[in-house]
Structure formats: structure tokens, C-alpha cells
Amino acid sequence: MSDLFVPAAEQAAAESAQSPLHVAMVAPPWFELPPRGYGGTEAVVAALVDGLVDRGHQVTLVASGSHRTKATRFHRVYDVPPTERLGDPAPEVVAAAEAARVLADADVDLVHDHTLAGPLLARGRRQPTVVTTHGPVAGSDGDYYERLGASVDVVAISASQRRLNPALNWVGTVHNAIDVRSFPYRADKDDYVLWLGRFSPQKAPDLAIEAARAAGRRIVLAGKLNEEPERRYFSERVAPLLGPDAEYVGEADATLKRELLAGAQALVFPIQWEEPFGMVMIEAMATGTPVVATRRGSVPEIVVDGATGVVVDDVAELPAAIHRATELDPAAARRHTLEHFDIPVMAAGYERVYRMLVEGTRSIRDITALGSAAEAAG
């Protein structure tokens, strides 16, 4: 795998020895950092803030609610994150306006914006604006980022995501990460497999139940179920399949999520869309739990087939894959996650992007090299 994703020890040491940067980090307004439950983007932003500070940089964080990060400075958008308004565009616009106000005269080297509306303000900014695409980059979403043009420098979270829209102003690819050591490692597993996520056809919990049942395994399901489309999908497609061997335990907070992941014989991840990065996969592997997944999106970049999980081309192969996964070495999954998806790896990757932009060394050759590295890892 390329050193774009895993910097060599001597390279990382050389980078951290350079003069520190001052980064303005703009988070989505919906959840506090880090989130106590659901909130994958917010979890990544919180981890990146801490990783950058650990590397000696200053970080000014613009976010909602209280925060439990190592940010040097903190500016609050909302006292209480407007989680119940998720999907309403107004909080996004308010967050962008507040970030613009706070950063108007701020002495920062660059702005790293993780919001939807915030990048619209990049054209009037003297510093570079880095945008991480945490969601889809094709269709209407891709059209938005294409229209932003060279006003923003776009970072992909996987090579598969980047391939979906090569027209964007890509500057690099940096995989998401977690604090691996905050996840308990267990070599001894309990008598269930796990599905964890948001209830939707794209995440396919119904397929996970059917695969586990065909494999003769008990399955536990935990996930977000508070928006109307989620409730409707759960009622129509998931609830009829529940029973003694398929149990829904509600939405898991950080503590319960770790307990469930660590105890599971396998995480069943039968995604039905080109998901750019499934955080739950690296969370599972961190606990020593292998991942059984369909070959969609970033899955082949994250899971080492036959070592840290089993990747299949068809859902009909899932039951046999569950059996195979339970025979894998849990230590291999933990080791893989530490080497490739731990916070220091992600922070070093973003630092390389930041320095390239701040120093003005971006060139066609740089972009090609970064793209080639991403492709090699895909």
C-alpha cells in the first residue's frame, strides 16, 4: 500500500519536525465532537483534530455543542447541536456564516471544511480551503463540487470514491481513521454475528439477517432508527424477519458499540451501494472481529480478503463467507487496523496535503502521483 496512506516512520518524523501549521477545522453542525452515538463524519473530524494537535499543530475548531477534543481554540455555532433538524438546510447555512465571521481575520494557514455549505465561501478567502468529501461525489452532489472548481482542494476518503468522479479538483486521498486503542480487542468471541449501521436499503440489514440465518448463526442488530425513511424501512423489511435468532437492540452508544463489536464472531456488511468509506468496518477490525462484506465501494481497500475478513461478489455467498470469517485470526484484523487506519496515519496523510498547498508545491506531477497512489491502493 502506498505511503500516501501509510507514511514511513522516517517520513512522518521529518514531517512533524517542520514548522507547525495553524489549521481552521470546520465541522458539520449536527452533532457534538466526538459524537456520543451516531455521527461518522463528526467522529473523523474529532479524531483528526486530536491527531494534528498531537503532531504539534494548532487547530481552531468551529463546531456545535460542547467538545471533547484537543483543539487549541474552539468557536461554538449552536449551544445545542440541532440534531433533530438533520436535513434542514438552515443550520448548514448558519454554520457557514458563523465560520466566515470567525475566520475573517484569523491568522490560519488553511481552512479544512467538512460542511456542505461552507465551501461556497472559499472563493473569497486568501488561504487554501481543503474539502473532504464524506459522502457521494456523483449525481447532484458531484455537480456541486464540480461547480466549486479550483476554489477548493478536494480530498477523497477512498480511491473508489475518487474514481466515481475524476472531474473534481482532487488533491489527495486519505483514508478515515479511529483511535484503535479505544476499541477493546477480544480473541474470544460470543455466539452471534453483528450488523451495525443506519437502517436503509443501501445498508441492507434484511440481507444480513437472511445470511446469518442461512449460516445458522444468531445475529444482533444495532443502529440508527429515528428518521421517517428509516422507520418505514425497518417496519416493512426488517421487523418481519426478527425472532429468537435475530434481535434488534436499539441504537448503540460508544460503549455498547464497542462491546457488541468486540464480542461478535463477524460483522456482516452487505452494502448495496458504492459507499465511500464504512467506518464500522475499521471499528470491527480494531476489536479483532472480521468483516464479511459485499465488494462495493471502499470495501476492497479496507478489508484484506482472507485475512481480516471475507469479501464476496454476490449476496448468495454471504452464509459461506460467515463460516470462513470465523476461522480467521483476530490478531491480524487488529494489526491491520493499527497499521493503516489509526489516527496518526490519517493525521500524517492530511499534513502532507496541507503542506503541499501551503507551500504552493501542488503541480500536475503531484496530482498524478497522488492519484496513482490511490489507484494502487484500490
Side-chain angles (χ1 to χ4, degrees), residues 63-95:
S64 291
S66 59
H67 82 106
R68 302 180 306 284
T69 73
K70 298 178 181 179
T72 316
R73 298 184 182 90
F74 176 61
H75 295 275
R76 184 178 288 109
V77 177
Y78 288 96
D79 290 338
V80 178
T83 305
E84 74 286 349
R85 297 174 64 186
L86 193 61
D88 179 349
E92 275 276 358
V93 176
V94 170

mmCIF file of all heavy atoms in Angstrom, residues 63-95:
data_model
loop_
_atom_site.group_PDB
_atom_site.id
_atom_site.type_symbol
_atom_site.label_atom_id
_atom_site.label_comp_id
_atom_site.label_asym_id
_atom_site.label_seq_id
_atom_site.Cartn_x
_atom_site.Cartn_y
_atom_site.Cartn_z
ATOM 1 N N ALA A 63 -17.543 24.338 15.605
ATOM 2 C CA ALA A 63 -18.471 23.203 15.705
ATOM 3 C C ALA A 63 -19.606 23.572 16.654
ATOM 4 O O ALA A 63 -19.647 24.669 17.206
ATOM 5 C CB ALA A 63 -17.731 21.958 16.202
ATOM 6 N N SER A 64 -20.528 22.635 16.841
ATOM 7 C CA SER A 64 -21.693 22.861 17.706
ATOM 8 C C SER A 64 -21.587 22.072 18.999
ATOM 9 O O SER A 64 -20.932 21.021 19.051
ATOM 10 C CB SER A 64 -22.976 22.470 16.973
ATOM 11 O OG SER A 64 -23.246 23.352 15.912
ATOM 12 N N GLY A 65 -22.297 22.585 20.029
ATOM 13 C CA GLY A 65 -22.341 21.883 21.311
ATOM 14 C C GLY A 65 -21.024 21.950 22.050
ATOM 15 O O GLY A 65 -20.143 22.751 21.746
ATOM 16 N N SER A 66 -20.883 21.093 23.040
ATOM 17 C CA SER A 66 -19.619 21.005 23.759
ATOM 18 C C SER A 66 -18.663 20.158 22.938
ATOM 19 O O SER A 66 -19.068 19.440 22.024
ATOM 20 C CB SER A 66 -19.836 20.371 25.132
ATOM 21 O OG SER A 66 -20.390 19.076 24.985
ATOM 22 N N HIS A 67 -17.386 20.258 23.241
ATOM 23 C CA HIS A 67 -16.441 19.417 22.518
ATOM 24 C C HIS A 67 -15.460 18.807 23.516
ATOM 25 O O HIS A 67 -15.167 19.371 24.560
ATOM 26 C CB HIS A 67 -15.693 20.214 21.441
ATOM 27 C CG HIS A 67 -14.518 20.997 21.955
ATOM 28 N ND1 HIS A 67 -13.222 20.619 21.735
ATOM 29 C CD2 HIS A 67 -14.465 22.120 22.701
ATOM 30 C CE1 HIS A 67 -12.413 21.483 22.317
ATOM 31 N NE2 HIS A 67 -13.148 22.401 22.893
ATOM 32 N N ARG A 68 -14.983 17.620 23.152
ATOM 33 C CA ARG A 68 -14.016 16.915 23.985
ATOM 34 C C ARG A 68 -12.801 16.563 23.130
ATOM 35 O O ARG A 68 -12.339 15.432 23.107
ATOM 36 C CB ARG A 68 -14.657 15.648 24.577
ATOM 37 C CG ARG A 68 -15.897 15.936 25.415
ATOM 38 C CD ARG A 68 -16.542 14.693 26.004
ATOM 39 N NE ARG A 68 -16.844 13.675 25.003
ATOM 40 C CZ ARG A 68 -17.858 13.739 24.145
ATOM 41 N NH1 ARG A 68 -18.670 14.791 24.157
ATOM 42 N NH2 ARG A 68 -18.074 12.769 23.272
ATOM 43 N N THR A 69 -12.339 17.564 22.404
ATOM 44 C CA THR A 69 -11.166 17.386 21.559
ATOM 45 C C THR A 69 -9.992 18.164 22.149
ATOM 46 O O THR A 69 -10.130 18.865 23.144
ATOM 47 C CB THR A 69 -11.416 17.889 20.123
ATOM 48 O OG1 THR A 69 -11.430 19.329 20.123
ATOM 49 C CG2 THR A 69 -12.745 17.372 19.583
ATOM 50 N N LYS A 70 -8.846 18.066 21.481
ATOM 51 C CA LYS A 70 -7.645 18.785 21.916
ATOM 52 C C LYS A 70 -7.477 20.105 21.172
ATOM 53 O O LYS A 70 -6.389 20.694 21.183
ATOM 54 C CB LYS A 70 -6.415 17.907 21.685
ATOM 55 C CG LYS A 70 -6.430 16.600 22.470
ATOM 56 C CD LYS A 70 -5.201 15.750 22.160
ATOM 57 C CE LYS A 70 -5.239 14.425 22.927
ATOM 58 N NZ LYS A 70 -4.063 13.564 22.618
ATOM 59 N N ALA A 71 -8.524 20.611 20.545
ATOM 60 C CA ALA A 71 -8.435 21.833 19.746
ATOM 61 C C ALA A 71 -7.809 22.974 20.536
ATOM 62 O O ALA A 71 -8.102 23.161 21.727
ATOM 63 C CB ALA A 71 -9.822 22.238 19.252
ATOM 64 N N THR A 72 -6.964 23.746 19.885
ATOM 65 C CA THR A 72 -6.300 24.886 20.525
ATOM 66 C C THR A 72 -7.298 25.981 20.853
ATOM 67 O O THR A 72 -7.244 26.604 21.918
ATOM 68 C CB THR A 72 -5.217 25.444 19.583
ATOM 69 O OG1 THR A 72 -4.466 24.370 19.010
ATOM 70 C CG2 THR A 72 -4.273 26.363 20.352
ATOM 71 N N ARG A 73 -8.213 26.228 19.907
ATOM 72 C CA ARG A 73 -9.276 27.220 20.112
ATOM 73 C C ARG A 73 -10.590 26.600 19.654
ATOM 74 O O ARG A 73 -10.609 25.762 18.754
ATOM 75 C CB ARG A 73 -9.014 28.501 19.312
ATOM 76 C CG ARG A 73 -7.738 29.225 19.706
ATOM 77 C CD ARG A 73 -7.604 30.541 18.933
ATOM 78 N NE ARG A 73 -6.372 31.234 19.246
ATOM 79 C CZ ARG A 73 -5.222 31.057 18.595
ATOM 80 N NH1 ARG A 73 -5.190 30.212 17.575
ATOM 81 N NH2 ARG A 73 -4.141 31.726 18.927
ATOM 82 N N PHE A 74 -11.688 27.046 20.269
ATOM 83 C CA PHE A 74 -12.998 26.490 19.928
ATOM 84 C C PHE A 74 -14.013 27.606 19.784
ATOM 85 O O PHE A 74 -14.126 28.482 20.652
ATOM 86 C CB PHE A 74 -13.452 25.507 21.007
ATOM 87 C CG PHE A 74 -14.841 24.955 20.779
ATOM 88 C CD1 PHE A 74 -15.138 24.229 19.639
ATOM 89 C CD2 PHE A 74 -15.854 25.166 21.713
ATOM 90 C CE1 PHE A 74 -16.411 23.715 19.408
ATOM 91 C CE2 PHE A 74 -17.122 24.658 21.508
ATOM 92 C CZ PHE A 74 -17.399 23.934 20.353
ATOM 93 N N HIS A 75 -14.760 27.598 18.678
ATOM 94 C CA HIS A 75 -15.845 28.553 18.449
ATOM 95 C C HIS A 75 -17.131 27.758 18.226
ATOM 96 O O HIS A 75 -17.212 26.930 17.321
ATOM 97 C CB HIS A 75 -15.543 29.432 17.235
ATOM 98 C CG HIS A 75 -14.364 30.328 17.423
ATOM 99 N ND1 HIS A 75 -14.445 31.564 18.032
ATOM 100 C CD2 HIS A 75 -13.059 30.152 17.092
ATOM 101 C CE1 HIS A 75 -13.254 32.123 18.054
ATOM 102 N NE2 HIS A 75 -12.392 31.281 17.506
ATOM 103 N N ARG A 76 -18.133 28.032 19.058
ATOM 104 C CA ARG A 76 -19.377 27.275 19.044
ATOM 105 C C ARG A 76 -20.400 27.908 18.116
ATOM 106 O O ARG A 76 -20.652 29.115 18.182
ATOM 107 C CB ARG A 76 -19.934 27.182 20.469
ATOM 108 C CG ARG A 76 -21.179 26.328 20.599
ATOM 109 C CD ARG A 76 -21.645 26.245 22.053
ATOM 110 N NE ARG A 76 -20.748 25.421 22.856
ATOM 111 C CZ ARG A 76 -19.923 25.904 23.779
ATOM 112 N NH1 ARG A 76 -19.880 27.212 24.017
ATOM 113 N NH2 ARG A 76 -19.152 25.092 24.465
ATOM 114 N N VAL A 77 -20.995 27.087 17.255
ATOM 115 C CA VAL A 77 -22.047 27.563 16.353
ATOM 116 C C VAL A 77 -23.390 27.531 17.069
ATOM 117 O O VAL A 77 -24.086 28.540 17.167
ATOM 118 C CB VAL A 77 -22.106 26.707 15.072
ATOM 119 C CG1 VAL A 77 -23.257 27.166 14.172
ATOM 120 C CG2 VAL A 77 -20.783 26.776 14.322
ATOM 121 N N TYR A 78 -23.778 26.375 17.567
ATOM 122 C CA TYR A 78 -25.013 26.202 18.340
ATOM 123 C C TYR A 78 -24.646 25.686 19.728
ATOM 124 O O TYR A 78 -23.803 24.795 19.854
ATOM 125 C CB TYR A 78 -25.949 25.180 17.678
ATOM 126 C CG TYR A 78 -26.620 25.658 16.414
ATOM 127 C CD1 TYR A 78 -26.084 25.347 15.164
ATOM 128 C CD2 TYR A 78 -27.805 26.392 16.460
ATOM 129 C CE1 TYR A 78 -26.703 25.762 13.992
ATOM 130 C CE2 TYR A 78 -28.426 26.810 15.299
ATOM 131 C CZ TYR A 78 -27.874 26.493 14.067
ATOM 132 O OH TYR A 78 -28.489 26.911 12.914
ATOM 133 N N ASP A 79 -25.304 26.202 20.760
ATOM 134 C CA ASP A 79 -25.071 25.681 22.109
ATOM 135 C C ASP A 79 -25.470 24.215 22.190
ATOM 136 O O ASP A 79 -24.779 23.407 22.816
ATOM 137 C CB ASP A 79 -25.873 26.491 23.143
ATOM 138 C CG ASP A 79 -25.322 27.895 23.317
ATOM 139 O OD1 ASP A 79 -24.136 28.114 22.989
ATOM 140 O OD2 ASP A 79 -26.088 28.784 23.750
ATOM 141 N N VAL A 80 -26.605 23.890 21.561
ATOM 142 C CA VAL A 80 -27.077 22.504 21.485
ATOM 143 C C VAL A 80 -27.146 22.127 20.005
ATOM 144 O O VAL A 80 -27.845 22.795 19.232
ATOM 145 C CB VAL A 80 -28.464 22.336 22.136
ATOM 146 C CG1 VAL A 80 -28.946 20.896 21.996
ATOM 147 C CG2 VAL A 80 -28.410 22.750 23.609
ATOM 148 N N PRO A 81 -26.442 21.103 19.578
ATOM 149 C CA PRO A 81 -26.478 20.737 18.162
ATOM 150 C C PRO A 81 -27.911 20.473 17.697
ATOM 151 O O PRO A 81 -28.673 19.781 18.382
ATOM 152 C CB PRO A 81 -25.641 19.455 18.104
ATOM 153 C CG PRO A 81 -24.740 19.539 19.285
ATOM 154 C CD PRO A 81 -25.533 20.230 20.349
ATOM 155 N N PRO A 82 -28.310 20.996 16.527
ATOM 156 C CA PRO A 82 -29.693 20.844 16.039
ATOM 157 C C PRO A 82 -29.923 19.486 15.370
ATOM 158 O O PRO A 82 -30.387 19.408 14.225
ATOM 159 C CB PRO A 82 -29.820 21.995 15.044
ATOM 160 C CG PRO A 82 -28.442 22.136 14.484
ATOM 161 C CD PRO A 82 -27.498 21.833 15.634
ATOM 162 N N THR A 83 -29.637 18.416 16.098
ATOM 163 C CA THR A 83 -29.699 17.075 15.531
ATOM 164 C C THR A 83 -31.073 16.758 14.959
ATOM 165 O O THR A 83 -31.193 16.115 13.907
ATOM 166 C CB THR A 83 -29.338 16.039 16.610
ATOM 167 O OG1 THR A 83 -28.065 16.374 17.171
ATOM 168 C CG2 THR A 83 -29.281 14.642 16.018
ATOM 169 N N GLU A 84 -32.121 17.237 15.652
ATOM 170 C CA GLU A 84 -33.484 16.917 15.211
ATOM 171 C C GLU A 84 -33.840 17.605 13.894
ATOM 172 O O GLU A 84 -34.827 17.255 13.260
ATOM 173 C CB GLU A 84 -34.490 17.318 16.297
ATOM 174 C CG GLU A 84 -34.740 18.809 16.443
ATOM 175 C CD GLU A 84 -33.583 19.573 17.108
ATOM 176 O OE1 GLU A 84 -32.674 18.898 17.633
ATOM 177 O OE2 GLU A 84 -33.595 20.814 17.092
ATOM 178 N N ARG A 85 -33.001 18.543 13.449
ATOM 179 C CA ARG A 85 -33.260 19.256 12.202
ATOM 180 C C ARG A 85 -32.385 18.730 11.056
ATOM 181 O O ARG A 85 -32.280 19.360 10.014
ATOM 182 C CB ARG A 85 -33.010 20.750 12.402
ATOM 183 C CG ARG A 85 -33.949 21.399 13.413
ATOM 184 C CD ARG A 85 -33.572 22.844 13.676
ATOM 185 N NE ARG A 85 -33.715 23.683 12.486
ATOM 186 C CZ ARG A 85 -33.324 24.964 12.452
ATOM 187 N NH1 ARG A 85 -32.777 25.518 13.524
ATOM 188 N NH2 ARG A 85 -33.490 25.667 11.347
ATOM 189 N N LEU A 86 -31.784 17.579 11.253
ATOM 190 C CA LEU A 86 -30.921 16.992 10.234
ATOM 191 C C LEU A 86 -31.675 16.897 8.910
ATOM 192 O O LEU A 86 -32.767 16.329 8.849
ATOM 193 C CB LEU A 86 -30.480 15.596 10.682
ATOM 194 C CG LEU A 86 -29.335 14.933 9.910
ATOM 195 C CD1 LEU A 86 -28.071 15.761 10.005
ATOM 196 C CD2 LEU A 86 -29.087 13.535 10.444
ATOM 197 N N GLY A 87 -31.111 17.465 7.861
ATOM 198 C CA GLY A 87 -31.779 17.525 6.571
ATOM 199 C C GLY A 87 -32.320 18.904 6.244
ATOM 200 O O GLY A 87 -32.551 19.228 5.077
ATOM 201 N N ASP A 88 -32.523 19.734 7.266
ATOM 202 C CA ASP A 88 -32.942 21.121 7.087
ATOM 203 C C ASP A 88 -31.709 21.930 6.670
ATOM 204 O O ASP A 88 -30.679 21.891 7.347
ATOM 205 C CB ASP A 88 -33.508 21.639 8.411
ATOM 206 C CG ASP A 88 -33.958 23.093 8.359
ATOM 207 O OD1 ASP A 88 -33.663 23.783 7.367
ATOM 208 O OD2 ASP A 88 -34.589 23.551 9.331
ATOM 209 N N PRO A 89 -31.755 22.673 5.572
ATOM 210 C CA PRO A 89 -30.560 23.396 5.112
ATOM 211 C C PRO A 89 -30.161 24.575 5.990
ATOM 212 O O PRO A 89 -29.003 25.013 5.945
ATOM 213 C CB PRO A 89 -30.940 23.874 3.710
ATOM 214 C CG PRO A 89 -32.440 23.933 3.721
ATOM 215 C CD PRO A 89 -32.875 22.823 4.622
ATOM 216 N N ALA A 90 -31.090 25.102 6.803
ATOM 217 C CA ALA A 90 -30.810 26.321 7.557
ATOM 218 C C ALA A 90 -29.609 26.186 8.497
ATOM 219 O O ALA A 90 -28.747 27.074 8.523
ATOM 220 C CB ALA A 90 -32.051 26.764 8.323
ATOM 221 N N PRO A 91 -29.503 25.126 9.309
ATOM 222 C CA PRO A 91 -28.329 25.029 10.184
ATOM 223 C C PRO A 91 -27.005 24.988 9.431
ATOM 224 O O PRO A 91 -25.992 25.512 9.911
ATOM 225 C CB PRO A 91 -28.571 23.723 10.943
ATOM 226 C CG PRO A 91 -30.058 23.578 10.967
ATOM 227 C CD PRO A 91 -30.491 24.079 9.626
ATOM 228 N N GLU A 92 -26.995 24.395 8.243
ATOM 229 C CA GLU A 92 -25.774 24.381 7.428
ATOM 230 C C GLU A 92 -25.385 25.809 7.039
ATOM 231 O O GLU A 92 -24.206 26.178 7.090
ATOM 232 C CB GLU A 92 -25.989 23.545 6.167
ATOM 233 C CG GLU A 92 -25.749 22.065 6.344
ATOM 234 C CD GLU A 92 -24.261 21.718 6.214
ATOM 235 O OE1 GLU A 92 -23.446 22.623 5.946
ATOM 236 O OE2 GLU A 92 -23.925 20.541 6.409
ATOM 237 N N VAL A 93 -26.376 26.604 6.649
ATOM 238 C CA VAL A 93 -26.103 27.980 6.236
ATOM 239 C C VAL A 93 -25.632 28.803 7.431
ATOM 240 O O VAL A 93 -24.697 29.607 7.324
ATOM 241 C CB VAL A 93 -27.358 28.606 5.587
ATOM 242 C CG1 VAL A 93 -27.101 30.068 5.255
ATOM 243 C CG2 VAL A 93 -27.743 27.839 4.329
ATOM 244 N N VAL A 94 -26.270 28.614 8.582
ATOM 245 C CA VAL A 94 -25.859 29.325 9.800
ATOM 246 C C VAL A 94 -24.420 28.959 10.161
ATOM 247 O O VAL A 94 -23.610 29.824 10.517
ATOM 248 C CB VAL A 94 -26.814 28.996 10.968
ATOM 249 C CG1 VAL A 94 -26.256 29.522 12.284
ATOM 250 C CG2 VAL A 94 -28.200 29.581 10.705
ATOM 251 N N ALA A 95 -24.096 27.675 10.067
ATOM 252 C CA ALA A 95 -22.739 27.229 10.389
ATOM 253 C C ALA A 95 -21.723 27.867 9.449
ATOM 254 O O ALA A 95 -20.631 28.288 9.875
ATOM 255 C CB ALA A 95 -22.661 25.709 10.311
#
